[in-house]
Amino acid sequence: MPTVKVADLKDGDFLLDVREDDEWQAGHAQGALHIPLGEFVARFGEFTEAAPQDGRVHVICRSGGRSAQVTMYLVQQGIDAVNVDGGMQVWAAEGRPVVDARGESGFVL
């Protein structure tokens, strides 16, 4: 499983959040693309339009389980994808900004 630590992510890295809507609304990384795991295959076209053509996709969820599933799917499609180790829990614990659906300070649900 290709994995990356939160500390290794840089501003501008493409981040795909696969958590559920309520989790996203409570708090997410600003600028991330949100497609819940259960909708991912049906919304794959939306993902391919937004994802960088020659760049890496960093997949995140709450702790790393759901994002691992999507990462493996993307790798099987020939996409350079990595799972963000520890997910949004580690993101928040390391002091990375978390915003809610209104763009205000959020929290990880």
Side-chain angles (χ1 to χ4, degrees), residues 18 33-49 70 73-74 77:
V18 297
L33 173 65
H34 177 234
I35 303 177
L37 171 64
E39 300 173 16
F40 191 75
V41 173
R43 294 175 58 187
F44 189 71
E46 181 181 333
F47 162 76
T48 57
E49 286 180 19
V70 173
Y73 176 79
L74 292 174
Q77 306 307 311

Side-chain angles (χ1 to χ4, degrees), residues 57-99:
V57 174
H58 303 84
V59 188
I60 197 165
C61 66
R62 183 172 188 269
S63 61
R66 290 172 285 181
S67 54
Q69 293 176 51
V70 173
T71 298
M72 290 309 299
Y73 176 79
L74 292 174
V75 168
Q76 290 170 352
Q77 306 307 311
I79 295 169
D80 181 11
V82 293
N83 188 30
V84 179
D85 190 35
M88 286 299 296
Q89 290 180 317
V90 171
W91 179 278
E94 292 192 5
R96 297 279 185 126
V98 177
V99 297

Side-chain angles (χ1 to χ4, degrees), residues 23-35:
E23 294 173 289
W24 169 265
Q25 291 172 7
H28 58 270
Q30 192 162 4
L33 173 65
H34 177 234
I35 303 177

Side-chain angles (χ1 to χ4, degrees), residues 5-24:
K5 295 191 178 300
V6 169
D8 295 331
L9 293 173
K10 298 171 189 60
D11 289 342
D13 282 346
F14 185 83
L15 193 62
L16 171 64
D17 189 323
V18 297
R19 296 175 302 144
E20 296 301 317
D21 287 333
D22 60 336
E23 294 173 289
W24 169 265

